[in-house]
């Protein structure tokens, strides 16, 4: 017995809708807090990630930068929350010069609770809750691990 064409195409359609999420879309295991738009100062310029290409690093080098204290911003180009924060984070990075960028991949370790990552001194101990995430590194040790636009903005104030 053959399957009905409309059912087969519906299965394909559902898979195509879910597929971008499997390839590194927004990943949050907890509901993100809503940001009050009036609290955000949106840069007038449209920024692109190539403007901070000198600050791109990969997952394996998150804890080994040559600074005593710095931040690492993990993002996905398919994440709506990351897109909302893009102009602000790039402008902030250009003025501060202590923020590194890691483009998310489907190999990043995603967990519900990242409290056990605080104190990590090796990337094998790292995990994130989703994109966007901001890590604060001091003396090659993870001291903060926050996810979501409002928490990232609060940490960089």
């Amino acid at each position: 017995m053959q399957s009905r064409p409309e059912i087969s195409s519906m299965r394909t359609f559902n898979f195509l809708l879910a597929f971008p999420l499997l390839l590194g879309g927004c990943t949050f295991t907890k509901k993100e807090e809503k940001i009050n738009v009036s609290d955000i100062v949106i840069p007038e310029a449209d920024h692109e990630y190539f403007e901070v290409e000198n600050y791109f690093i990969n997952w394996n080098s998150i804890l080994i930068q040559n600074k005593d204290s710095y931040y690492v911003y993990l993002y996905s180009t398919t994440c709506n929350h990351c897109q909302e924060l893009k102009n602000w984070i790039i402008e902030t990075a250009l003025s501060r010069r202590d923020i590194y960028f890691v483009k998310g991949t489907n190999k990043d370790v995603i967990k519900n609770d990242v409290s056990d990552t605080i104190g990590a001194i090796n990337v094998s101990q790292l995990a994130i809750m989703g994109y966007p995430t901001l890590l604060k590194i001091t003396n090659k040790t993870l001291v903060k691990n926050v996810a979501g636009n409002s928490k990232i903005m609060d940490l960089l104030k």
Side-chain angles (χ1 to χ4, degrees), residues 24-25 27-28 74-76 79 81-82 104-105 108 110 128 130-133:
T27 309
F28 275 103
L74 293 100
Y75 71 98
S76 170
C79 167
H81 300 290
C82 299
T105 70
D108 297 341
I110 308 290
I128 61 173
Y131 305 109
T133 287

Side-chain angles (χ1 to χ4, degrees), residues 1-148:
M1 183 164 126
Q2 291 184 333
S3 65
R4 295 187 347 215
E6 62 271 15
I7 293 174
S8 176
S9 64
M10 184 176 264
R11 286 184 190 139
T12 303
F13 180 73
N14 288 339
F15 176 75
L16 290 175
L17 286 175
F19 190 68
L21 294 175
L22 297 173
L23 293 178
C26 293
T27 309
F28 275 103
T29 52
K30 294 183 181 178
K31 187 175 179 181
E32 182 177 354
E33 299 172 21
K34 295 294 181 192
I35 298 173
N36 185 351
V37 177
S38 62
D39 293 339
I40 302 173
V41 177
I42 305 292
E44 290 185 27
D46 283 334
H47 289 288
E48 297 298 332
Y49 287 110
F50 74 82
E51 296 176 67
V52 289
E53 67 187 357
N54 292 337
Y55 296 97
F56 280 17
I57 60 174
N58 63 42
W59 179 274
N60 291 326
S61 61
I62 287 174
L63 294 168
I64 58 173
Q65 297 307 302
N66 289 324
K67 290 188 176 199
D68 291 337
S69 186
Y70 58 92
Y71 298 90
V72 178
Y73 176 71
L74 293 100
Y75 71 98
S76 170
T77 56
T78 60
C79 167
N80 289 334
H81 300 290
C82 299
Q83 290 300 318
E84 291 170 5
L85 195 60
K86 183 173 91 169
N87 286 332
W88 183 86
I89 193 70
I90 292 172
E91 186 137 321
T92 302
L94 290 171
S95 67
R96 293 178 58 114
R97 305 200 180 278
D98 65 347
I99 302 172
Y100 293 92
F101 290 77
V102 174
K103 185 176 178 182
T105 70
N106 60 354
K107 295 178 184 178
D108 297 341
V109 180
I110 308 290
K111 289 175 53 176
N112 286 340
D113 182 8
V114 293
S115 61
D116 64 340
T117 65
I118 304 304
I121 56 172
N122 187 303
V123 293
S124 65
Q125 301 168 315
L126 290 181
I128 61 173
M129 287 185 4
Y131 305 109
T133 287
L134 187 68
L135 308 174
K136 182 175 182 184
I137 314 297
T138 302
N139 298 322
K140 301 190 185 306
T141 303
L142 180 67
V143 296
K144 294 274 185 178
N145 185 342
V146 300

